[in-house]
Amino acid sequence: MRRFNNVNPKRQHGFWILGIVGRDRNSLLLLAVAIAGALGPGILNGVLALTLVFIPPIARVAESVTTQVRGHEYVMAARLSGASTLRILREHVLGNVAGPVLVFAASQVGVSIISASGLSFLGLGVKPPEPEWGLMLNTLRQSIWVNPVVAALPGTMIFMTSICFNLMSDGLRSAMDVKL
């Protein structure tokens, strides 16, 4: 019989891939800039670049929480009682993994807003006729000496929106009572 409490993470399939991908946030953001630069400007290309960058950290959290849940006694009890693997995954593992993954994903919304604004500021995001805060910051750079308040408004809105999503994530974590 296989013991689930003593799971060696290095023996799991795909561990070396997760070890390489997603270690450093700055390298992932540079990857987003490279992907958006290769694909060209546009909202779809910017969303695609940020999606590819934000998937590995969420996958790491999901894998970590799944490994923890898999080692709990109620999963072992369900297995010993004869429950199928699909039933254990559906009723015991998925319900306990969804909360922490949802909280972590919600905490990444503010970071993704800042990253999307950065791509647009660099000219790799939204094209000029469409409104976007990073693009507004880029176009208002010349007027910072003339009217600094107007030039600072898009950056202030990016900051406030990011803080609001972080506060929402904290409230969601408190409501779900998830310990990360």
Side-chain angles (χ1 to χ4, degrees):
M1 178 173 29
R2 186 172 165 190
R3 291 202 43 130
F4 287 101
N5 289 337
N6 297 329
V7 175
N8 184 359
K10 292 185 179 180
R11 297 192 70 195
Q12 295 176 3
H13 300 293
F15 178 77
W16 63 276
I17 294 172
L18 291 174
I20 294 171
V21 178
R23 289 276 184 202
D24 186 21
R25 174 67 68 182
N26 294 330
S27 63
L28 289 176
L29 292 177
L30 286 175
L31 179 64
V33 169
I35 292 170
L39 295 176
I43 190 163
L44 186 62
N45 295 339
V47 168
L48 179 66
L50 290 176
T51 301
L52 291 175
V53 164
F54 281 103
I55 286 175
I58 293 173
R60 286 182 63 85
V61 169
E63 187 265 338
S64 171
V65 174
T66 303
T67 302
Q68 288 176 353
V69 168
R70 198 173 80 181
H72 286 173
E73 293 174 358
Y74 57 85
V75 175
M76 175 75 82
R79 174 147 326 263
L80 292 176
S81 70
S84 67
T85 304
L86 183 62
R87 183 173 179 172
I88 292 171
L89 285 174
R90 187 179 65 237
E91 293 182 8
H92 298 289
V93 176
L94 186 62
N96 291 310
V97 169
V101 171
L102 182 64
V103 168
F104 181 74
S107 71
Q108 296 301 303
V109 172
V111 177
S112 67
I113 289 172
I114 293 171
S115 301
S117 298
L119 286 177
S120 292
F121 181 80
L122 294 174
L124 299 172
V126 177
K127 294 177 186 173
E130 298 174 13
E132 206 273 332
W133 287 328
L135 186 62
M136 289 178 192
L137 276 174
N138 191 12
T139 57
L140 291 173
R141 278 186 312 162
Q142 294 85 14
S143 67
I144 195 164
W145 300 109
V146 178
N147 196 354
V149 174
V150 173
L153 286 177
T156 304
M157 293 309 297
I158 294 169
F159 172 74
M160 288 174 48
T161 305
S162 177
I163 290 294
C164 287
F165 276 108
N166 285 336
L167 291 174
M168 183 195 70
S169 170
D170 288 342
L172 183 62
R173 187 193 58 198
S174 298
M176 296 181 82
D177 196 27
V178 175
K179 295 178 177 76
L180 293 177

